[in-house]
Amino acid sequence: MLSIGKLAAGAGDYYSAMVADGAEEYFTGAREAPGEWVGAGSDVLALSGIVDPGDFAAILEHRYPATSVRITAARSAPKVSGFDATFCAPKSVSVLHGLGTDDTVTRVVRDAHDASVRAALTIFEAEASRGRRGHGGVEVVEGDGFVAAGFRHRTSRAGDPHLHTHVVIANLVHGPDDRWTSLDARPLFHWSKTVGYLYEAQLRHELTEHLGVQWTGVRNGIADMTIVPRPVIDAFSTRRHEIEAHLEASGFDSARAAQIATYATRRMKDHSATAETLADGWRSQADTLGFDIDSVTDQLADPVLPATPVVAANIEELFVELAGPTGLTQHRAMFGRREVLRGICQRLPNGAPVEQIVRWAEQFIESDHCIALYGEQAAAIRTRDGRVISAHTDGVRFTTPDMLATERRLVGVALTGAGTGTAMADLDRLWDVVAASPTITDEQITMVLQICTSGNRVDVVEGVAGAGKTFALAVANDAWVASGYQVIGCSLAAKAARQLETYAHIRSHTIDRLLIDLDQPEHGGLPHHAVVIVDEAAMVGTRKLVRLLEHAQQADAKIVLVGDPRQLPEIEAGGGFVGLADRLRHTALTENRRQSSEWERDALARLRTGDTDNAIDTYLDHGRINISPNAAHARSRMVADWAETRTSQTAVMLASRVADVEELNRLARHHLHDTGDIADDDVRIAGRGFATGDLVLALRNDRRVDVLNGTRAVIERIDHQRRVFECRADDQHKVTIPFDYATDGHLTHAYAMTVHKSQGATFDRCFVLAGDQLTNETTYTAMSRGRAGNDLYVVDDDPRVDEAHMREQRGEPLDTLRSTVRRSGAQTMATEALPGPPAAPEVEFDDDLGIDL
């Protein structure tokens, strides 16, 4: 794993005293391996071998070693002195290194780690060594490499084995014109995740080849050795547990939040311990866990055969997998070189040399398995002060022949079906149905006329949240049925399908269930001339859409795609809904009929179209954004506000993280117990208490008992003899939920829920906990659930940051909120990039990088 953070001005003193001087062994006075100069930029300055603390401090201040002469043209030291890129071995590797009693095994592990850091750093340097010049850093120049120093350590501050290397990269780069300038930090952050994958892959290769170890499955680029049991790994992961606990309490879980949590939970160093007492303590703890380190190291010290090399046939199989539906385009239609590298690393359980992985990535990109979409572009970056500057990024995007063919089939079926006379309702019957619906609006009538009389194989309806899409579909359904057509509904979620069936009177299924039936010829396929309504179609991946459209083509049936691309996006590779809406004459429902206040409808409209700053200002002006000093305060305040409104209005609390939802539910039940609204827990199942009057949420479909994922219900009676909960669902139908369903972890409380579970639901009041997982789409979805009001609760960042690191990483809570809500998770089809380069994207970026002017 690789983490990276900015270093504040003056951090050279910290590293000189605590790292470069060799005293950063957290618990002992024993000297660690001395720091070593690394990087081609260091060679330019004739810096090599052991790091001298004075030279190190000078470089971080942009001075030539042993002088006061400045290296760059800037008149003062940079605000950001450098970047700490920390390469951390998997915990199983650290345990083997720290507990090992055989010097040979320990040396092999250490050397493997060092070799992996060097190999990964070579790629990091090649891809991220750039400089920025000119006003605002608009000019990007290629650099000769990093000026950096590496410091290896073996313990964590919690006293656990923790093999890691700090590579401190100076904010300095040598350009092709022999001028020195500040480093462009953007590619550092862009490439850090990929470089971490490469380090891990090389490490697996080294240890497999030299020790013959085996590995668990690779997850997020990381695997552990199977010889170290999971309980042992957990027992020696004190720092990880501390950081996770801090993240849990803070309400954030991004990479930046993890970095702040790392700083915030750092302990004071205990210099009373010695290397010997630490090792003895580790081995004693291992013995208690039943882990015989001597036996393990004895086995590994024996000579082993080299690992079986990956041959050409294996590589071709790998390429086929990368290019297939479950490969690089499983969740996105387009990818870049970094995703290719990570995809290869993820599929190498025994790893491989970094240089070989890079060659394979180039071979894949140049092969018939990969299609380049457009050339490198100068994407735009908008800084916090509003300036727009170029961003020299890895802009070349690719797709696969499979993905491109899938999208072309989707578009082809839709376009060739235009004007074919499919499922045209009788006009007289249609107008009779419209006349029988006195509350229907003009734009809903326009929608019904379009989809019922266009004769197109595919029609697209795009509607804002609260536009009454389901009501209009009910009218269209009546017109088609009166004209002799069979109408079938489907949606990605079973609950949404149930709502379509309940409120639009259309017999509905999940899209997966429908496709399973249609893919089996013995089931007969779609009825001839049928109409298929796909609700929340903007959440459906392209591959599922094309399968459904091709079945409709075979049956001469009609497909109506209804959704909102500004709400929750597809989980699988998508963009199909928007792509078809752009190519077909689609209907738009723009009138929000849900929110009662005009100002809130206006704010939502601004949020939907990306005018996020003005939307947030509007919510602020009306007192709908609440700022708390920490997550615990925010959750308590949410529950208090929810409790105040719940007796007179339907109310719900929403959050992005399951952990936040669980805590909100716990606090809500605590309040209800205190007020007597629910009795003491009658039964406790899977760690959750349930009582009569509890509001519960189903988390999994179980058609045997007619329970759907997302169903909310009130427990009216708990029958211990039959071992069931007798409930009344939101739509008033009776639901009987077996204890076994709850035992399997599929039943939780419903006072709070995730934003994804709330899609399609409507309440009177909605209380939303903001976090760093929010995007523009999730914020719009959450803030459009409540009719009478929607409130947003913002958590301030933790102010505790290590002295050596950037205190300015702590942003103002409203600035953080604005930046988060600007992010979009919307997807685009790969075919959109085929004609030429799309408009350069804009992203928010922290411009405080000490640019050399």
Side-chain angles (χ1 to χ4, degrees):
M1 183 181 72
L2 171 64
S3 63
I4 187 167
K6 294 185 290 185
L7 302 181
D13 295 337
Y14 171 85
Y15 277 90
S16 296
M18 304 304 295
V19 182
D21 196 34
E24 181 64 2
E25 173 59 17
Y26 298 126
F27 287 86
T28 77
R31 187 179 182 86
E32 281 280 13
E36 295 185 359
W37 290 108
V38 295
S42 300
D43 295 340
V44 176
L45 289 171
L47 296 169
S48 62
I50 305 301
V51 173
D52 175 81
D55 292 346
F56 183 68
I59 290 300
L60 293 183
E61 294 174 2
H62 286 195
R63 293 185 290 107
Y64 285 104
T67 74
S68 60
V69 179
R70 300 205 55 76
I71 297 176
T72 64
R75 297 172 182 171
S76 60
K79 293 180 180 179
V80 179
S81 63
F83 303 87
D84 184 353
T86 307
F87 293 84
C88 302
K91 181 55 68 174
S92 60
V93 175
S94 293
V95 168
L96 183 61
H97 178 263
L99 275 68
T101 56
D102 186 287
D103 290 341
T104 301
V105 172
T106 302
R107 185 176 62 255
V108 167
V109 174
R110 182 191 64 221
D111 292 347
H113 168 75
D114 289 347
S116 302
V117 170
R118 288 194 300 270
L121 191 60
T122 300
I123 303 304
F124 206 13
E125 187 173 38
E127 299 293 344
S129 173
R130 299 175 188 158
R132 291 176 64 185
R133 295 176 181 166
H135 181 66
V138 294
E139 181 185 357
V140 176
V141 296
E142 295 295 332
D144 288 345
F146 292 150
V147 180
F151 308 95
R152 183 194 344 111
H153 301 294
R154 52 188 170 177
T155 62
S156 73
R157 290 188 178 232
D160 291 329
H162 180 46
L163 181 60
H164 62 287
T165 296
H166 295 272
V167 177
V168 182
I169 303 168
N171 186 10
L172 192 66
V173 69
H174 184 249
D177 56 359
D178 201 33
R179 285 177 55 200
W180 290 90
T181 189
S182 294
L183 196 65
D184 181 359
R186 293 166 296 181
L188 285 175
F189 291 98
H190 292 155
W191 274 89
S192 60
K193 181 178 180 179
T194 303
V195 171
Y197 273 59
L198 292 170
Y199 158 76
E200 297 282 350
Q202 175 92 31
L203 184 63
R204 292 196 299 275
H205 163 73
E206 296 281 348
L207 294 178
T208 302
E209 184 174 76
H210 295 293
L211 295 179
V213 296
Q214 295 181 326
W215 302 87
T216 61
V218 183
R219 183 178 180 183
N220 296 325
I222 302 173
D224 272 298
M225 297 184 296
T226 57
I227 58 172
V228 181
R230 174 51 58 181
V232 176
I233 292 173
D234 290 339
F236 285 108
S237 300
T238 307
R239 281 293 290 138
R240 176 182 176 183
H241 298 324
E242 290 173 346
I243 293 167
E244 288 176 346
H246 184 275
L247 289 171
E248 189 79 13
S250 72
F252 296 101
D253 59 4
S254 66
R256 175 175 174 273
Q259 186 182 76
I260 291 176
T262 301
Y263 301 152
T265 57
R266 279 188 170 180
R267 304 180 181 192
M268 295 294 291
K269 303 180 183 70
D270 178 10
H271 294 292
S272 65
T274 67
E276 291 74 18
T277 57
L278 274 177
D280 289 344
W282 294 338
R283 289 170 191 143
S284 176
Q285 187 176 0
D287 289 341
T288 302
L289 295 166
F291 180 58
D292 188 350
I293 186 64
D294 292 329
S295 175
V296 169
T297 54
D298 286 345
Q299 295 175 33
L300 296 178
D302 292 336
V304 295
L305 293 175
T308 303
V310 180
V311 297
N314 302 132
I315 292 304
E316 182 57 29
E317 292 175 5
L318 175 62
F319 285 2
V320 169
E321 184 179 348
L322 288 174
T326 60
L328 295 171
T329 60
Q330 180 176 11
H331 300 294
R332 293 277 167 174
M334 294 180 281
F335 53 87
R337 183 165 168 260
R338 290 173 303 207
E339 286 89 346
V340 176
L341 288 165
R342 294 200 296 268
I344 293 174
C345 293
Q346 187 73 13
R347 290 164 174 80
L348 296 174
N350 292 329
V354 166
E355 61 180 11
Q356 183 65 71
I357 295 172
V358 172
R359 282 198 296 270
W360 288 333
E362 296 305 322
Q363 290 173 18
F364 177 79
I365 288 171
E366 294 171 2
S367 73
D368 293 337
H369 296 292
C370 193
I371 298 173
L373 294 175
Y374 53 84
E376 186 166 339
Q377 60 172 330
I381 285 181
R382 184 177 297 277
T383 62
R384 287 185 177 177
D385 62 2
R387 291 179 295 118
V388 176
I389 61 176
S390 65
H392 189 64
T393 63
D394 178 27
V396 182
R397 306 301 288 170
F398 307 93
T399 192
T400 64
D402 170 77
M403 190 74 248
L404 210 55
T406 300
E407 292 181 350
R408 284 171 167 164
R409 282 159 48 206
L410 178 75
V411 174
V413 171
L415 293 182
T416 57
T420 54
T422 306
M424 295 182 67
D426 180 87
L427 277 177
D428 290 336
R429 289 180 169 83
L430 189 154
W431 283 115
D432 288 343
V433 170
V434 170
S437 305
T439 60
I440 192 170
T441 66
D442 289 343
E443 72 171 7
Q444 287 174 331
I445 292 174
T446 300
M447 165 195 155
V448 172
L449 285 172
Q450 168 66 21
I451 64 178
C452 288
T453 65
S454 71
N456 296 332
R457 171 94 61 230
V458 180
D459 270 310
V460 178
V461 177
E462 179 179 333
V464 303
K469 297 184 287 291
T470 303
F471 174 80
L473 287 175
V475 175
N477 173 59
D478 290 344
W480 273 312
V481 171
S483 302
Y485 295 101
Q486 181 176 347
V487 183
I488 301 169
C490 66
S491 185
L492 201 61
K495 182 185 175 185
R498 170 71 64 82
Q499 289 177 327
L500 186 64
E501 186 167 311
T502 301
Y503 299 110
H505 316 297
I506 301 170
R507 183 65 183 273
S508 300
H509 320 265
T510 66
I511 193 169
D512 286 332
R513 179 72 263 170
L514 180 60
L515 287 172
I516 288 172
D517 289 341
L518 295 180
D519 287 342
Q520 301 180 54
E522 63 271 21
H523 289 184
L526 282 175
H528 198 57
H529 295 316
V531 178
V532 179
I533 307 293
V534 185
D535 196 17
E536 297 185 354
M539 296 179 66
V540 181
T542 301
R543 290 186 173 93
K544 288 179 181 176
L545 283 180
V546 76
R547 286 169 61 195
L548 189 58
L549 264 63
E550 288 176 340
H551 281 295
Q553 186 180 45
Q554 294 171 10
D556 195 20
K558 181 182 183 70
I559 300 289
V560 180
L561 304 175
V562 184
D564 183 2
R566 300 302 304 181
Q567 294 190 54
L568 299 180
E570 309 93 331
I571 297 174
E572 299 172 342
F577 180 88
V578 174
L580 293 181
D582 289 343
R583 289 166 172 81
L584 303 172
R585 179 190 174 190
H586 73 280
T587 306
L589 295 179
T590 61
E591 181 184 352
N592 177 0
R593 298 154 59 88
R594 180 180 295 159
Q595 274 64 48
S596 57
S597 299
E598 183 178 354
W599 74 261
E600 192 159 12
R601 293 195 296 270
D602 178 68
L604 271 176
R606 291 177 180 274
L607 194 60
R608 186 178 189 277
T609 57
D611 187 8
T612 55
D613 285 354
N614 282 324
I616 289 172
D617 287 342
T618 302
Y619 285 115
L620 279 169
D621 291 343
H622 288 82
R624 293 293 180 82
I625 295 181
N626 308 280
I627 301 175
S628 293
N630 52 60
H633 184 275
R635 288 190 288 253
S636 296
R637 186 171 180 179
M638 279 182 69
V639 171
D641 292 345
W642 164 83
E644 187 177 339
T645 61
R646 61 172 290 274
T647 55
S648 59
Q649 297 176 306
T650 60
V652 70
M653 295 177 285
L654 300 180
S656 296
R657 302 192 318 155
V658 173
D660 286 322
V661 169
E662 293 280 358
E663 179 62 13
L664 287 167
N665 277 322
R666 187 190 69 80
L667 292 172
R669 295 190 78 245
H670 183 75
H671 169 84
L672 295 175
H673 280 308
D674 287 347
T675 57
D677 289 287
I678 60 174
D680 292 338
D681 291 348
D682 194 1
V683 64
R684 191 164 186 84
I685 303 176
R688 294 189 179 95
F690 297 97
T692 301
D694 249 330
L695 185 62
V696 294
L697 176 71
L699 301 176
R700 185 173 182 177
N701 296 327
D702 191 336
R703 295 188 180 278
R704 295 172 299 176
V705 292
D706 194 30
V707 176
L708 299 181
N709 183 5
T711 296
R712 289 193 353 146
V714 175
I715 298 176
E716 295 185 322
R717 180 171 177 267
I718 300 177
D719 189 330
H720 288 273
Q721 185 173 358
R722 295 168 53 216
R723 293 181 57 78
V724 298
F725 300 102
E726 295 178 359
C727 307
R728 175 175 42 83
D730 279 352
D731 60 5
Q732 301 305 309
H733 81 279
K734 298 289 185 177
V735 182
T736 300
I737 303 176
F739 282 6
D740 288 346
Y741 183 89
T743 301
D744 293 336
H746 305 322
L747 190 69
T748 187
H749 302 107
Y751 309 105
M753 64 175 66
T754 63
V755 177
H756 275 75
K757 290 292 184 186
S758 75
Q759 173 89 341
T762 301
F763 306 91
D764 291 324
R765 291 295 305 274
C766 183
F767 306 92
V768 183
L769 182 63
D772 52 15
Q773 289 186 340
L774 282 183
T775 63
N776 181 259
E777 290 80 12
T778 55
T779 306
Y780 174 68
T781 301
M783 295 296 283
S784 61
R785 297 304 96 196
R787 299 185 190 93
N790 300 270
D791 290 70
L792 193 62
Y793 295 78
V794 180
V795 180
D796 200 354
D797 279 346
D798 194 304
R800 296 171 294 172
V801 178
D802 189 280
E803 291 291 340
H805 297 79
M806 295 300 294
R807 285 192 173 274
E808 47 267 47
Q809 288 187 77
R810 176 178 178 251
E812 291 298 324
L814 287 178
D815 290 339
T816 301
L817 174 66
R818 293 178 196 277
S819 177
T820 299
V821 175
R822 287 190 197 108
R823 296 182 308 180
S824 173
Q827 296 196 38
T828 305
M829 291 199 304
T831 49
E832 307 296 347
L834 282 174
E842 285 190 8
V843 295
E844 173 96 359
F845 201 87
D846 180 358
D847 194 36
D848 185 11
L849 297 174
I851 298 169
D852 179 13
L853 303 179

